[in-house]
Amino acid sequence: MSASAAAGVKMVSARPCISASQGMLASRAAVSRIETTARFASCPKICCSRPLGSKRAGFVVRAMSGESGPQGLPIDLRGKRAFIAGVADDNGYGWAIAKALAAAGAEILVGTWVPALNIFETSLRRGKFDESRKLPDGSLMDIVKVYPLDAVYDSPEDVPEDVKSNKRYAGSSNWTVKEVAETVKNDFGSIDILVHSLANGPEVTKPLLETSRRGYLAAISASSYSYVSLLQHFLPIMNPGGASISLTYIASEKAIPGYGGGMSSAKAALESDTRVLAFEAGRKGKIRVNTISAGPLGSRAAKAIGFIEKMIEYSYVNAPLQKELLADEVGNTAAFLVSPLASAITGSIVYVDNGLNTMGLAVDSPTITS
């Protein structure tokens, strides 16, 4: 949800690199000597296992930026602004992604479901989230602004009267997707990162055969089309080279009994849309679009499924990596995907589930264990 300077590089070679054009090397030799001399004072230290003039083919070169400098390849999002849609508490994937982006230096804006807005803002203001706001350097994640958002509605004209008059929406305004995008533009001008962390299936506990048309379409609307709408309205204010990500689940491609109400279909649609949006947003705005297929997490939202604890236990027992899946691991993956380090990755589904997606057999099955 770690900005640092460039770190050391280690190169190992079995033999010297020889250009296909010896003439080109010869013609540039003088220039290379001049450039090397001019830059020598600012170059990183070069350490060789053998003298540079050695005729032996094998050698090892280590380029080091500094003896006491930070090590590792950094994810640097300083100067970037992110809008994360779907943050309403401090224990879901949306919050973890916000933290990872903040830790990498990004400015954080969030969109919170209107009925949950008051509780979320009050908790932030009273410091109830301070412990979970802590970043690796000890500082607290700063959420620059919280916007009311209901991504089921694209514009004010789409909002039915019963919602407009609902007391849970009283006191809030400009919360449709179009209005939020316009407000963000007026407030900040542009963004670089768009995160979709939204899903809702009113009939998620019902088997697909018992799901109503209304419930099915509601799941699709809230969980997949909402991403299309967000990109549609935010793309004009996204800086070229930016990135967008969403969250999906393995039920999009495997049958998960109990994950009903059309939610599996919504996730499948989301993944299909990711590929199409990657093409369209890439060509139109030079924006990368990816989705993270995350393993089960015991968040408040996931508990609506009714058996999330059993899903977590199943994952722990059967995944190749037999460990707890942490929200921070999804957050760190998101930070990588929206960073320059992933500049050639788009239209992809990235699995962060301890490898559970690779399994075709439950190792805790009574048939196997017997």
Side-chain angles (χ1 to χ4, degrees):
M1 15 181 175
S2 16
S4 58
V9 179
K10 181 177 180 180
M11 299 181 293
V12 180
S13 175
R15 57 182 179 273
C17 180
I18 301 175
S19 170
S21 172
Q22 297 294 343
M24 185 177 291
L25 278 178
S27 66
R28 293 181 177 175
V31 177
S32 297
R33 284 195 296 273
I34 293 172
E35 290 181 346
T36 301
T37 302
R39 297 178 184 173
F40 186 76
S42 62
C43 282
K45 295 180 181 179
I46 304 294
C47 302
C48 299
S49 59
R50 294 185 64 82
L52 290 175
S54 173
K55 295 182 179 180
R56 186 167 178 174
F59 64 88
V60 177
V61 179
R62 296 181 181 87
M64 296 172 290
S65 60
E67 295 296 335
S68 59
Q71 300 299 305
L73 193 62
I75 292 178
D76 189 351
L77 298 177
R78 288 173 295 182
K80 306 295 184 182
R81 182 177 297 115
F83 183 86
I84 299 103
V87 179
D89 55 45
D90 65 340
N91 71 345
Y93 283 137
W95 178 272
I97 291 172
K99 280 187 66 177
L101 302 188
E107 185 176 72
I108 305 300
L109 313 175
V110 303
T112 300
W113 188 45
V114 184
L117 180 67
N118 185 52
I119 295 176
F120 181 67
E121 288 189 315
T122 300
S123 297
L124 271 176
R125 188 169 55 252
R126 294 180 177 177
K128 291 185 178 181
F129 296 153
D130 283 0
E131 185 61 31
S132 55
R133 285 173 61 200
K134 285 185 179 178
L135 300 176
D137 64 359
S139 64
L140 297 182
M141 173 178 63
D142 180 28
I143 297 178
V144 178
K145 188 166 182 178
V146 179
Y147 292 85
L149 171 67
D150 193 330
V152 168
Y153 305 106
D154 300 323
S155 64
E157 295 75 29
D158 299 325
V159 184
E161 286 300 323
D162 63 320
V163 174
K164 290 180 181 179
S165 60
N166 191 308
K167 63 180 182 181
R168 296 195 299 173
Y169 287 76
S172 296
S173 60
N174 301 321
W175 44 259
T176 64
V177 176
K178 179 182 179 181
E179 292 173 302
V180 173
E182 290 174 345
T183 306
V184 171
K185 180 182 179 180
N186 292 335
D187 291 344
F188 298 98
S190 64
I191 64 171
D192 304 277
I193 299 163
L194 177 65
V195 178
H196 176 276
S197 182
L198 300 166
N200 182 50
E203 298 180 19
V204 66
T205 58
K206 290 184 178 181
L208 190 56
L209 281 174
E210 297 176 15
T211 300
S212 68
R213 182 184 297 270
R214 183 176 181 179
Y216 184 96
L217 294 178
I220 294 287
S221 174
S223 308
S224 55
Y225 185 78
S226 57
Y227 189 36
V228 177
S229 180
L230 280 168
L231 260 179
Q232 184 182 110
H233 291 90
F234 274 88
L235 187 62
I237 67 169
M238 292 187 73
N239 295 317
S244 180
I245 56 173
S246 63
L247 292 167
T248 185
Y249 181 52
I250 194 66
S252 62
E253 55 188 278
K254 306 284 178 64
I256 307 292
Y259 191 75
M263 280 304 300
S264 57
S265 306
K267 292 301 184 183
L270 181 66
E271 293 178 13
S272 178
D273 291 343
T274 295
R275 292 182 284 271
V276 178
L277 291 171
F279 172 77
E280 294 183 359
R283 292 299 181 92
K284 188 174 183 178
K286 296 182 179 179
I287 301 299
R288 296 181 296 105
V289 180
N290 294 291
T291 188
I292 297 174
S293 184
L297 177 74
S299 64
R300 290 188 183 92
K303 289 178 181 177
I305 299 172
F307 62 104
I308 186 65
E309 296 301 330
K310 291 183 179 179
M311 295 170 70
I312 293 173
E313 181 182 358
Y314 177 88
S315 176
Y316 182 88
V317 173
N318 292 287
L321 298 179
Q322 205 169 9
K323 67 177 186 63
E324 178 186 3
L325 178 65
L326 304 177
D328 289 349
E329 294 172 307
V330 172
N332 293 339
T333 302
F336 160 72
L337 285 173
V338 302
S339 79
L341 297 181
S343 59
I345 301 175
T346 193
S348 296
I349 301 170
V350 180
Y351 296 92
V352 185
D353 61 358
N354 288 329
L356 185 64
N357 71 93
T358 65
M359 299 300 294
L361 186 68
V363 296
D364 65 342
S365 169
T367 304
I368 300 301
T369 55
S370 62

